[in-house]
Structures are given as structure tokens and as C-alpha cells.
Amino acid sequence: MRQSKLLIKTKNKNYSIFVGKNITNNISKILKEEKIKFNKCLIIVDKKVPKSSIYKIIRKIKSKLKKIIFFNSSEKNKNINSVNKILDLLFKENFSRDDCIISIGGGITGDVVGFAASIFKRGIKFINFPTTLLSQVDSSVGGKTGVNNRYGKNLIGSFNQPDLVLSEINFLKSLPKRELICGYAEILKHAIIADKKKFLFLEKNKNKILSLNGDVIQKTIIDSCTIKKKVIEKDEKEKNLRKVLNFGHTFAHSFEASLRYSKKLNHGEAVLMGIKCAVKFSKKINHIPENDAKRIINHIDSLKIKKLNDFFNLKHLETLIKFIKIDKKNKSNKINLILLKKIGKPDINSNYNVNTVKKFLYNELN
Ligand code: GLY
């Protein structure tokens, strides 16, 4: 399969996402086609990415000055100090707005670099090479950038669309299965909120996707990005519709936060558990046909990840509720949940009393 290209059109910027095997061989051609020029570039590389693939890319980027920072990506290092280190180097080397910063790494690296790009002299060019499945199907699309602070995750940030995204499929080969399932969680989320056909495709092709079957994985990444594109083009700044991308995430964030972002539960696993909760909640209030709910839950169970009760019991109820209450989507005292009327028909405007959500979780944990 040839490389695929998707054009994202937002109010302030249009940019392309390229997906394919060996696309990094064509960097010069793509930069020329996309009319992206710079004299200096700073490349921030996630230390987790295999060095062999990194140097191949770096050699292919033509620039009068090339600087490299190796970044130890983690939620702990996703902070303002890491942004400052990037900014300092840009100032020291006298970068201008016409120069470029490039991220090669997963979602954390992309978020930190994208944020630095948005605030350096009010905006420098930004190219993203997402190297994980999660970042290729989700965080590299749509321009959310930012860092954590002691009050929570991603509380400092900006909407900064990149100038170009290059999703090289070969990067995915080095990822453990658990990391691939993490990306698959967002692929599944996109399919469920988009339409039944996309969900049926996943039911049929889950194993091919997770074993990185060439054409299937490329189609899946592009399809997933296309679903997100349609949402963010209508609502870039999450005023309303973009909230749909939080399907399963209200619960997921509370699971991750309650475990203090322990590596025992990664983001995708929390999202899969969160989707199950959102589906069960939808069923409880008669939003979703029994068969749709069953199919989603069976699909998630077939991934054989750990379950809610492997991490939590009734002792954790208050902590979970505490984190659900501080979700960014909530207004007044109600909890905003993204629910499902049927596969492909999400409901973004359901608000519930804390006690209703608590009662639901009580039953799940019991
Ligand atoms: N990952 C959710 C969003 O980009 O809005």
C-alpha cells in the first residue's frame, strides 16, 4: 500500500498527516511538497525510540543547523521545566519563528514539544513524528498540547496544530503488545462514536491490527485519524462536539489518577475499562440496545486486559468519585458523562448527580 495522506483543515491552519511504511525515507520530498522550509531545527527525541531509526531520520532532514535533545519521556517529566529546557536552547541558538522544532516520540514528547512550539516567540514551526500507536491515532491529531503540574494532568497548555505529522508504521514494530493495545483503545473509541461499520471492521480485524498487518494497520490509522479530523474541524477548541472524544475518559481519568498514574495501568487500559463503564451506565439508563452493549463489552474482554476489580474495590469508591467530580467537562454540581445511544450515536449532553454515578460505581465495585 502506498503512503496515505490526510488533510486537516482548522480555522487557523491546514496541515497534512502522512501514514505509511518507510515514509521517513521520503522526508525531503514531503517537506518540499508541503512547502515547509527552515534554516535551523531542534529535534527532540524520546529516549525510548530505537536509536537506529532516529539517526536515519535525522540524516534525512536538511537544515543549516541541527540540534538534538534526548528527552526522558514520562508523566513526571511532562512539566514546565522540560519546556524551559527546549526554550533555552532555542534562544541560545537564536532560532526565529521561521525555524522549526521537531518531535520524534510518543504522546508525551509530542505534547511537550508542541506546547514549547506554541509559546516560543508566539509560535514556531512544529513537525511531529509520532512513534506509538496511541500518538499516531490520537494525540498527534487535533493540536492539544501541554504539560502537567502538581494540580493535575495537562492543566497548562494550548491548542497548537502542527505543520506536519509523519506517522511511520515501522516505528510500531518495536512496541510491546501492551503498548499496541493502549493505542487500540483510542481506535476502538473512535469507531464506537463514529459508526457501526467501523466497529464491525474492528471486530473482524482486531488481530490483524494488533499484529501490525501492513495494509490493515495503515487503513486503521488513517480511518481513526479521519474520525477525529471530522470532530476537530467542527470544534477545534472543545466548546461542544469535541467532548465526544472523551467517551470512556471520565471514568478512565479517575482510574489513572486514583492509582497515581502507576505503570500498572496504562492510559489505554484505563480507557478500555472506562468505555466498559460508560457502556454499562448507558445500558442502565436504557440508552443503548442490549446487543450493542454486549458486543462492545465482549470485544473489550477479548483483549484480555485486567479488569476493574483487579485494581479497585469499595474502599476506593470515595477516591474515584473525588476524581470524577473534578473532570474538566463538569458544569455546576453535575457530572458530565459521554454516553451511547447505540454504536455510532454518542450522547454528549448527559449530566448526572454525583449520587447517581456513585451508586453505579458502587455496584460495579461490589
Ligand atoms: N484526545 C481527545 C482530544 O484530542 O480531544
Side-chain angles (χ1 to χ4, degrees):
M1 196 177 187
R2 273 175 47 81
Q3 69 190 25
S4 312
K5 178 178 166 176
L6 186 69
L7 184 66
I8 311 279
K9 293 182 182 175
T10 64
K11 214 165 148 200
N12 297 313
K13 199 189 257 180
N14 294 349
Y15 61 97
S16 300
I17 296 176
F18 288 83
V19 182
K21 256 194 185 147
N22 301 318
I23 51 166
T24 40
N25 290 340
N26 306 330
I27 297 175
S28 304
K29 201 168 151 238
I30 293 175
L31 288 176
K32 211 165 164 193
E33 254 176 51
E34 297 297 306
K35 299 187 177 60
I36 299 175
K37 287 188 200 146
F38 44 84
N39 285 322
K40 298 178 184 177
C41 71
L42 170 60
I43 307 167
I44 294 96
V45 183
D46 191 334
K47 277 189 182 163
K48 292 190 189 80
V49 182
K51 293 268 186 310
S52 50
S53 17
I54 296 299
Y55 288 113
K56 222 173 101 194
I57 296 179
I58 293 176
R59 269 198 302 273
K60 287 192 182 296
I61 298 171
K62 304 260 177 300
S63 179
K64 281 188 187 138
L65 178 90
K66 267 187 231 173
K67 288 277 163 190
I68 304 169
I69 293 179
F70 286 94
F71 175 54
N72 192 3
S73 70
S74 65
E75 288 297 343
K76 205 168 140 241
N77 291 340
K78 188 179 178 182
N79 60 30
I80 205 75
N81 293 339
S82 301
V83 174
N84 268 327
K85 276 189 199 140
I86 296 171
L87 297 177
D88 277 350
L89 191 57
L90 294 172
F91 286 116
K92 191 168 152 238
E93 299 295 339
N94 198 21
F95 273 58
S96 81
R97 276 181 183 166
D98 289 332
D99 294 318
C100 187
I101 64 177
I102 299 175
S103 165
I104 307 179
I108 293 179
T109 311
D111 282 7
V112 171
V113 177
F115 181 54
S118 73
I119 57 174
F120 177 76
K121 298 185 179 173
R122 298 208 176 86
I124 183 172
K125 285 175 197 162
F126 167 44
I127 298 176
N128 196 356
F129 286 82
T131 58
T132 60
L133 187 57
L134 180 70
S135 56
Q136 293 189 354
V137 299
D138 191 13
S139 61
S140 65
V141 190
K144 276 189 183 174
T145 73
V147 294
N148 309 330
N149 67 4
R150 84 173 101 121
Y151 297 97
K153 262 182 90 174
N154 299 323
L155 294 180
I156 303 169
S158 61
F159 288 97
N160 180 37
Q161 304 297 338
D163 292 274
L164 177 66
V165 178
L166 290 164
S167 291
E168 168 60 78
I169 287 173
N170 285 331
F171 278 129
L172 306 180
K173 287 184 192 155
S174 63
L175 299 177
K177 175 107 186 263
R178 202 173 156 215
E179 185 60 45
L180 292 173
I181 290 179
C182 186
Y184 188 80
E186 301 291 351
I187 292 172
L188 180 65
K189 175 197 80 179
H190 286 155
I192 294 171
I193 60 169
D195 67 59
K196 195 144 188 173
K197 262 203 221 140
K198 299 273 183 268
F199 178 74
L200 297 182
F201 179 82
L202 296 188
E203 275 192 334
K204 211 170 139 208
N205 291 289
K206 179 195 76 190
N207 291 336
K208 283 189 183 159
I209 296 167
L210 290 172
S211 56
L212 303 178
N213 176 303
D215 287 359
V216 178
I217 186 71
Q218 186 166 329
K219 175 183 160 36
T220 305
I221 295 169
I222 275 289
D223 279 358
S224 212
C225 292
T226 306
I227 295 166
K228 187 161 180 185
K229 160 194 158 85
K230 288 182 183 155
V231 174
I232 59 136
E233 285 184 346
K234 288 195 189 117
D235 178 22
E236 181 186 358
K237 302 269 168 81
E238 200 169 297
K239 298 272 183 260
N240 198 26
L241 177 67
R242 189 168 179 165
K243 284 194 280 183
V244 75
L245 299 175
N246 279 296
F247 176 60
H249 282 60
T250 309
F251 291 110
H253 288 152
S254 79
F255 303 149
E256 289 182 279
S258 300
L259 294 173
R260 298 185 190 178
Y261 301 97
S262 150
K263 291 198 168 62
K264 283 187 210 148
L265 179 71
N266 70 29
H267 178 66
E269 290 161 344
V271 168
L272 290 167
M273 279 163 40
I275 292 177
K276 261 172 94 168
C277 284
V279 168
K280 286 182 179 178
F281 195 98
S282 302
K283 203 172 134 231
K284 219 162 217 127
I285 55 157
N286 291 331
H287 253 154
I288 179 170
E290 173 89 31
N291 191 40
D292 278 13
K294 235 192 204 155
R295 283 178 92 152
I296 296 172
I297 288 168
N298 287 345
H299 191 80
I300 293 175
D301 288 346
S302 76
L303 292 166
K304 298 197 169 37
I305 60 156
K306 285 191 176 165
K307 300 207 158 70
L308 191 65
N309 299 99
D310 293 321
F311 297 98
F312 304 106
N313 55 42
L314 281 178
K315 278 200 306 233
H316 302 101
L317 182 61
E318 289 305 326
T319 316
L320 291 169
I321 286 294
K322 179 182 92 188
F323 287 112
I324 285 178
K325 271 161 68 179
I326 56 172
D327 187 81
K328 287 195 220 75
K329 296 188 303 314
N330 296 338
K331 286 203 177 112
S332 63
N333 286 329
K334 299 265 183 173
I335 311 285
N336 176 252
L337 290 177
I338 312 301
L339 298 179
L340 211 53
K341 292 203 160 123
K342 61 178 186 178
I343 295 175
K345 202 162 188 336
D347 172 11
I348 59 173
N349 291 318
S350 289
N351 298 300
Y352 293 90
N353 291 324
V354 175
N355 277 341
T356 312
V357 180
K358 201 168 176 177
K359 210 165 135 204
F360 166 78
L361 269 181
Y362 178 92
N363 289 327
E364 290 301 306
L365 296 173
N366 209 348

